Amino acid sequence: MTAVVGRRGLWLVALLLALLAIGLYVHFDLGRLLTLDSLKSSRDGLLALYQRQPAATLATFFGVYVAAVALSVPGATILTVAAGALFGVVVAVGIVSFAASLGALLAFLIARCLLRDTVRAHFGKRLAPIEDGMRKDGTFYLLTLRLVPAFPFFLVNLLSALTPVGAWRFYWTTQLGALPAIIVYVNAGTQLASIERARDILSPGVLLSFVLLAALPWVGKAGVGLWRKRKVYAKWPRPKRFDRNLSVIGAGAGGLVAAYIAAAVKAKVSLVEAHRMGGDCLNVGCVPSKALIRSARLAKETRDGSTLGVTCSGASMDFAAVMARVQRVIATIAPHDSVERYTALGVDVVQGAARITSPWEVEIVTTDGRRNTLTTRSIVIAAGASPTVPPIPGLDDVGCLTSDTVWDLKVLPRRLAVLGGGPVGCELAQAFARLGSKVTQVEMAPRLMLREDEDAASLVTVALEADGVTLLTGHQAMRCTRDGDVKRLVVEHDGVEHTIEFDELLCAVGRSPRVEGYGLEALGIPLVDKKKTIATDAWLQTLYPNIFAVGDVAGPFQLTHVAAHQAWYAAVNALFGRFKRFKVDYSVIPWATFTDPEVARVGLSETEAKAQKVAFEITRFPLRELDRAVTDVATQGFVKVLTVPGKDTILGVTIVGEHAGDLLAEYVLAMKHGLGLNKILGTIHAYPTLSEASRSVAGEWKRAHAPKRLLAWARRYHAWERG
């Protein structure tokens, strides 16, 4: 509240000063005074004043110049010329340089205080790329703008205030960058009599000189970049010829897409996979888990058939048959990612272990033991991730399953303990509970699914408990013990230990990037400290510009579709980067958790918006009010849309409910192409479908933002029409 009052006070003071400045400007006709003709006519009088009172004249001139720049008053050019005419080159350059920089700093600080928070609240997402650029290259941008007089001086002051550039950096770049133009104008002032128009000072030749001068920082930066690049590659001899344009390590989602793109543009590409084509998603991740979830859902529906008026007597569950179906699903999809398909596309598929031995060489040990080294212009690392197994005492003795090995089960565990309350833990805990296991799920955090809003996670929690899962949130796994065939997990909560007996223990506490065993250490390619992912830049380049990383090894999202998304950028940058490079775009990333109900999200969540102090409005539509959800007994859930206050611009969407992942696609499209809720409201949705929820939530937003005054006049008009 104090901050709001303080900002309002500043706005009031700024408004009063602006009105005062405008009043003085108009009353004293300063526009007439700040002209070349006025300066010429008054030059002799001003020179006489300067000779009588030099200190006072300099101080007054300095104050006027600072005020003019700080208030963005037109006429700074004439004042600069006047300084040259009155004080000579040396004194004038000194006084104008410091006055201009100080005035610019004041304008910068005033604008930042009054405008920055408001602008960021409304346009924060759009400003993000600009802010990122200013953090990295702000000095170069500012110097360029200052060195080219064609850019309005006052506008640079105001726009810079909206960026994260620091006040000190802004000041010294202004001091340095404005100096050449100040010298030119001051020097022109010493020859005042020969100047007819102010714009004559900047001839085409002078302007070209400034442009070339402004290019120097960028040329210097490019030179430093080339020097660093040469230094990185210094100890690695570069081959004269290359066997491949691109070599890809890993045939998961990222590697497959990178190889596909390279082959499509007729590059010579090798794809190396040490295990199974299709990577984790096909073999141990997305595909098998969704197949298991489908069977588990049918088991649930069979038991609850009476709610639909159908009694399924005699139905039984054959877990071995369920797991056999999971493998059949994998086998059905496998040809999409097979060696045969990619070979037919023009990819050289090699089954073996790859090791990067230099920035241009990949050594491959094939499955039959043969060793071969390929030279390659570029490399894409898409090695994926593996399940994280926590260092719990006694875990090796009792053994554990992971999301990679759980698919080897042939007998349903009577008692299953699940460690982890994230998406994988929740999906598998619910599936096994529905298939008949007595499931206990242990999560160290105070609630499940911490990356989702609490209202979304709470519906999943209710659903898991309804399916018979015993949830122990806020519990930490301490140790495992074994007494004959009896296995136990000891957990601690609020200083009290509890014991859980189990037949199988499933660790689902996350996945760790595969960053060892293929040469990163020898090349000195650094990792991001906390996540242990490969450090990459905005173009997905590593320390070596011709080596790229995508997917789980690069982060920041461990999602199959993000790996494929990154692979396009990596492949295009690797093959055509010398002509045009593309920064990877993470602005609209969807993700879904396939529990029942599903949780799907794109853009900002409510929790993230609050943490980032982004202003937003919330519009909700409960699925219990949707006709199709009622007919399908799928009323548990909602659609929640975050929008810019007063506008239909979508900041983020969370959907909880049946087929939430499918319903999210409409919002992903809308956000990607800048479409708002009004466009969704104006789109016909088939009835009765779950997709109508999108139109309904848009209608709720429209109702909340109805033009009340206009409707009041409409009421009066209709009353008049009725007589």
Side-chain angles (χ1 to χ4, degrees):
M1 185 66 182
T2 304
V4 173
V5 173
R7 187 166 283 107
R8 286 177 178 173
L10 285 172
W11 267 108
L12 182 60
V13 171
L15 179 62
L16 291 174
L17 287 174
L19 290 174
L20 178 62
I22 293 171
L24 291 172
Y25 190 88
V26 173
H27 180 74
F28 292 105
D29 197 8
L30 294 178
R32 179 183 59 80
L33 295 176
L34 294 175
T35 63
L36 205 57
D37 290 338
S38 176
L39 176 59
K40 286 181 176 182
S41 63
S42 58
R43 178 176 179 273
D44 293 339
L46 292 172
L47 274 173
L49 178 63
Y50 176 53
Q51 290 171 357
R52 291 196 307 271
Q53 297 178 313
T57 305
L58 286 171
T60 302
F61 181 88
F62 186 87
V64 169
Y65 202 111
V66 169
V69 174
L71 297 174
S72 302
V73 174
T77 299
I78 301 301
L79 286 174
T80 307
V81 173
L86 297 176
F87 311 131
V89 173
V90 176
V91 175
V93 168
I95 195 169
V96 170
S97 177
F98 284 101
S101 301
L102 180 58
L105 180 62
L106 290 174
F108 169 88
L109 293 174
I110 292 169
R112 171 162 289 185
C113 186
L114 296 179
L115 300 175
R116 186 182 180 188
D117 290 346
T118 303
V119 172
R120 290 186 68 181
H122 289 83
F123 305 102
K125 197 168 184 180
R126 295 180 185 178
L127 284 174
I130 299 173
E131 291 190 348
D132 185 56
M134 286 298 290
R135 287 190 188 96
K136 295 177 180 177
D137 298 311
T139 301
F140 294 98
Y141 285 130
L142 282 174
L143 277 176
T144 300
L145 294 173
R146 291 305 192 198
L147 285 167
V148 181
F151 294 109
F153 193 84
F154 78 95
L155 197 58
V156 176
N157 301 337
L158 301 181
L159 293 178
S160 297
L162 305 179
T163 72
V165 66
W168 169 243
R169 182 163 54 158
F170 173 84
Y171 175 82
W172 75 256
T173 50
T174 299
Q175 187 86 56
L176 181 63
L179 189 59
I182 288 172
I183 293 172
V184 170
Y185 280 109
V186 165
N187 184 64
T190 62
Q191 305 169 42
L192 184 60
S194 61
I195 301 175
E196 295 298 329
R197 294 171 299 179
R199 65 172 180 265
D200 292 340
I201 299 170
L202 293 179
S203 65
V206 173
L207 273 176
L208 179 60
S209 299
F210 278 124
V211 170
L212 293 175
L213 188 62
L216 281 178
W218 298 98
V219 172
K221 184 184 178 185
V224 171
L226 288 173
W227 176 78
R228 287 177 177 172
K229 183 177 178 180
R230 291 193 65 178
K231 185 177 180 182
V232 166
Y233 289 110
K235 66 177 181 178
W236 306 104
R238 189 174 188 271
K240 293 181 179 180
R241 292 179 58 84
F242 295 94
D243 301 320
R244 301 289 183 267
N245 297 101
L246 184 67
S247 293
V248 182
I249 299 174
L256 290 170
V257 171
Y260 181 96
I261 291 171
V265 297
K266 308 306 179 185
K268 197 167 185 181
V269 54
S270 286
L271 174 63
V272 188
E273 173 55 55
H275 301 292
R276 291 176 287 184
M277 294 288 288
D280 298 336
C281 183
L282 171 63
N283 297 291
V284 295
C286 313
V287 171
S289 65
K290 275 57 198 177
L292 182 72
I293 287 169
R294 180 65 186 92
S295 296
R297 179 170 182 165
L298 179 59
K300 163 82 169 178
E301 290 172 344
T302 301
R303 287 193 299 271
D304 297 345
S306 59
T307 60
L308 298 175
V310 179
T311 301
C312 303
S313 59
S316 62
M317 193 279 300
D318 183 342
F319 184 74
V322 168
M323 299 305 280
R325 175 186 173 269
V326 168
Q327 296 304 318
R328 287 198 305 274
V329 170
I330 294 172
T332 301
I333 297 175
H336 302 169
D337 302 339
S338 65
V339 172
E340 293 76 15
R341 182 186 179 218
Y342 275 79
T343 299
L345 290 170
V347 178
D348 170 39
V349 182
V350 184
Q351 302 264 216
R355 184 177 186 83
I356 305 171
T357 56
S358 87
W360 296 288
E361 293 177 311
V362 177
E363 182 185 72
I364 304 170
V365 179
T366 60
T367 51
D368 59 5
R370 289 183 293 116
R371 192 179 298 270
N372 182 32
T373 298
L374 292 176
T375 57
T376 179
R377 287 196 65 90
S378 297
I379 300 169
V380 171
I381 301 170
S386 57
T388 301
V389 178
I392 300 173
L395 186 61
D396 290 340
D397 186 34
V398 300
C400 74
L401 300 168
T402 68
S403 57
D404 280 7
T405 60
V406 69
W407 314 111
D408 297 330
L409 285 175
K410 297 297 186 288
V411 178
L412 179 71
R414 185 171 64 87
R415 298 169 300 179
L416 177 67
V418 178
L419 285 181
V424 174
C426 289
E427 288 179 5
L428 293 179
Q430 186 178 48
F432 274 93
R434 287 180 166 187
L435 290 171
S437 289
K438 179 178 174 54
V439 178
T440 302
Q441 188 174 7
V442 179
E443 169 57 49
M444 186 167 57
R447 66 174 178 86
L448 300 178
M449 300 175 67
L450 281 179
R451 294 185 67 178
E452 306 297 341
D453 287 336
E454 190 167 356
D455 54 358
S458 66
L459 286 179
V460 175
T461 299
V462 170
L464 289 174
E465 290 178 332
D467 285 325
V469 178
T470 300
L471 292 176
L472 300 178
T473 55
H475 286 67
Q476 183 172 0
M478 303 301 293
R479 59 188 178 277
C480 294
T481 62
R482 184 171 192 150
D483 184 8
D485 292 334
V486 179
K487 303 175 185 178
R488 296 184 178 89
L489 172 66
V490 180
V491 298
E492 182 268 328
H493 175 67
D494 288 341
V496 179
E497 290 190 347
H498 307 273
T499 301
I500 303 165
E501 291 190 0
F502 63 86
D503 298 303
E504 295 287 355
L505 174 64
L506 172 63
C507 287
V509 295
R511 297 177 68 81
S512 303
R514 294 190 181 102
V515 293
E516 296 179 351
Y518 49 89
L520 298 185
E521 304 89 347
L523 269 69
I525 294 176
L527 305 180
V528 178
D529 290 338
K530 291 183 179 179
K531 298 182 179 179
K532 296 300 179 184
T533 52
I534 298 173
T536 59
D537 61 15
W539 297 273
L540 297 172
Q541 294 171 303
T542 66
L543 173 67
Y544 299 90
N546 71 311
I547 300 180
F548 299 77
V550 302
D552 292 354
V553 294
F557 305 98
Q558 289 188 339
L559 298 168
T560 298
H561 48 278
V562 172
H565 177 69
Q566 290 175 323
W568 182 92
Y569 289 91
V572 172
N573 288 337
L575 297 170
F576 303 107
R578 66 173 61 191
F579 305 110
K580 172 68 176 176
R581 295 190 305 164
F582 297 88
K583 289 185 178 181
V584 63
D585 178 13
Y586 296 119
S587 60
V588 184
I589 299 293
W591 61 65
T593 299
F594 296 92
T595 49
D596 184 9
E598 292 180 10
V599 180
R601 177 156 71 88
V602 63
L604 288 175
S605 68
E606 183 180 353
T607 305
E608 289 172 341
K610 289 177 180 177
Q612 297 174 25
K613 298 182 180 179
V614 175
F616 64 92
E617 291 180 353
I618 288 182
T619 305
R620 296 174 65 101
F621 179 76
L623 294 184
R624 64 175 178 271
E625 296 182 13
L626 185 68
D627 293 356
R628 181 57 184 268
V630 174
T631 65
D632 290 356
V633 195
T635 56
Q636 295 302 306
F638 57 82
V639 179
K640 178 170 65 174
V641 182
L642 274 64
T643 51
V644 173
K647 297 184 179 181
D648 73 334
T649 305
I650 302 170
L651 296 173
V653 180
T654 297
I655 304 177
V656 182
E658 190 168 297
H659 295 295
D662 299 316
L663 296 176
L664 191 69
E666 184 169 11
Y667 294 102
V668 177
L669 177 72
M671 291 182 68
K672 178 65 177 178
H673 297 286
L675 305 177
L677 290 180
N678 279 316
K679 295 293 185 182
I680 293 177
L681 182 61
T683 301
I684 298 174
H685 293 69
Y687 177 88
T689 60
L690 293 174
S691 68
E692 280 192 298
S694 298
R695 191 171 187 274
S696 296
V697 76
E700 291 294 320
W701 178 88
K702 191 70 173 180
R703 189 176 298 111
H705 294 81
K708 295 181 180 179
R709 291 185 179 180
L710 185 60
L711 291 176
W713 281 104
R715 185 184 295 110
R716 294 176 187 175
Y717 167 75
H718 292 306
W720 174 77
E721 281 273 279
R722 296 193 302 270

